[in-house]
Amino acid sequence: MSTPGLPNMPMPPLPTLPSSGFKLSKEHLLVAVPVAVVAAIGGFLVSHYLNRRSCKNCMVNMTISKDSPKVVHSFDMEDIGTKAVYCRCWKSKKFPYCDGAHTKHNEETGDNVGPLIIKKKDA
Ligand code: FES
């Protein structure tokens, strides 16, 4: 056998690939299937855990004044008194004031939010 256009030279023999010798026996399957099932369940649980920790749709305000394009509250310093505690987690039922709902939010999400506390220096 020769290649057209090249001098009449013999082709080298194709190398033969050695057999891998890999055979999947019933014993292998008895080990491999449970390992694969445990790995799949573990992957699912890790994925589920990581997804739960992240936001679902990246909104922070799920309930407060949703009919308004922007939620804004304004207070005069003179009206605050000696101390005011404002919500920053958007979970308070008394929004814009903190009602402690951030504690449950932090426990459920792993977050670390807390209120904004404004007070007079001598209070
Ligand atoms: S309830 Fe939201 S910061 Fe406390």
Side-chain angles (χ1 to χ4, degrees):
M1 178 195 280
S2 66
T3 306
L6 293 177
N8 209 5
M9 295 175 53
M11 293 289 289
L14 291 175
T16 56
L17 296 174
S19 170
S20 68
F22 180 76
K23 287 184 179 177
L24 204 53
S25 68
K26 190 174 181 180
E27 290 78 24
H28 287 125
L29 285 176
L30 288 175
V31 174
V33 169
V35 168
V37 169
V38 168
I41 291 171
F44 171 77
L45 291 175
V46 167
S47 168
H48 186 71
Y49 172 75
L50 293 176
N51 283 341
R52 227 181 119 199
R53 289 182 57 104
S54 65
C55 69
K56 288 184 177 143
N57 59 9
C58 297
M59 280 191 178
V60 293
N61 178 13
M62 303 305 283
T63 57
I64 300 162
S65 302
K66 293 304 282 183
D67 55 337
S68 175
K70 186 189 299 183
V71 180
V72 177
H73 295 93
S74 178
F75 301 93
D76 291 328
M77 293 298 289
E78 296 78 21
D79 297 337
I80 287 178
T82 57
K83 183 179 176 183
V85 183
Y86 296 102
C87 176
R88 293 192 299 178
C89 74
W90 293 84
K91 306 292 181 193
S92 175
K93 299 255 188 290
K94 298 178 180 176
F95 197 87
Y97 300 104
C98 172
D99 69 354
H102 59 267
T103 303
K104 184 180 175 203
H105 166 79
N106 289 342
E107 288 171 0
E108 290 175 350
T109 63
D111 209 343
N112 65 346
V113 295
L116 167 67
I117 301 173
I118 298 176
K119 61 184 180 179
K120 287 194 174 177
K121 248 184 183 172
D122 54 351

